[in-house]
């Protein structure tokens, strides 16, 4: 009797998110934020979507302030950022080819931007905003329940 075996390793991305920003500002001041997305998994992450929405109407995005850096390289011009008054979002796709830009294992995607605190904002208040990240383990649109893209 002959036997053979093989070990199969399942690899998956695992993105972690950290966010920092100015913690003490006055009404009317700009507020600088930084969001870092690191792939601590075992495979590249694809179809990465980053969104940051301000939970407070006293914060507004400074238009054109979003900067996207992947592994130390500024890729802002290659990505379409959708700006709204209360935040922004983007999918990490090349805006020329439409191809997904993966976040490789061990690499960090850094996003910086500036918001403006309304001049009439109440003092000594807390103003929150929330960054979210979604991603897939394979490039392209995810499969539906029937296995179709």
């Amino acid at each position: 009797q002959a036997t053979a075996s093989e070990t199969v390793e399942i690899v998956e991305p695992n993105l972690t998110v950290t966010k920092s920003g100015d913690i003490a500002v006055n009404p009317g001041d700009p507020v600088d934020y930084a969001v870092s997305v690191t792939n601590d998994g075992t495979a590249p992450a694809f179809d990465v979507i980053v969104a940051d929405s301000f939970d407070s109407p006293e914060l507004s995005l400074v238009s054109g302030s979003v900067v996207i850096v992947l592994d130390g390289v500024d890729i802002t011009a290659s990505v379409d950022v959708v700006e709204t008054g209360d935040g922004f979002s983007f999918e990490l796709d090349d805006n020329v080819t439409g191809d997904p830009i993966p976040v490789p294992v061990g690499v960090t995607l850094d996003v910086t931007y500036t918001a403006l605190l309304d001049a009439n904002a109440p003092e000594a208040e807390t103003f929150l905003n929330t960054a979210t990240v979604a991603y897939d383990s394979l490039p392209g649109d995810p499969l539906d329940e029937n296995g179709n893209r």
Side-chain angles (χ1 to χ4, degrees), residues 40-114:
D40 294 325
T42 55
F46 295 94
D47 303 317
V48 176
I49 298 172
V50 177
D52 202 324
S53 61
F54 308 146
D55 299 332
S56 172
E58 285 84 4
L59 287 171
S60 60
L61 180 68
V62 173
S63 183
S65 68
V66 177
V67 175
I68 305 165
V69 175
L70 180 62
D71 200 20
V73 178
D74 186 335
I75 62 168
T76 307
S78 299
V79 178
D80 291 327
V81 178
V82 177
E83 295 184 353
T84 62
D86 63 350
F88 67 89
S89 66
F90 63 85
E91 184 165 0
L92 206 54
D93 288 338
D94 185 300
N95 58 15
V96 173
T97 65
D99 293 336
I101 300 171
V103 177
V105 173
V107 169
T108 298
L109 173 72
D110 292 305
V111 182
T112 57
Y113 65 93
T114 301

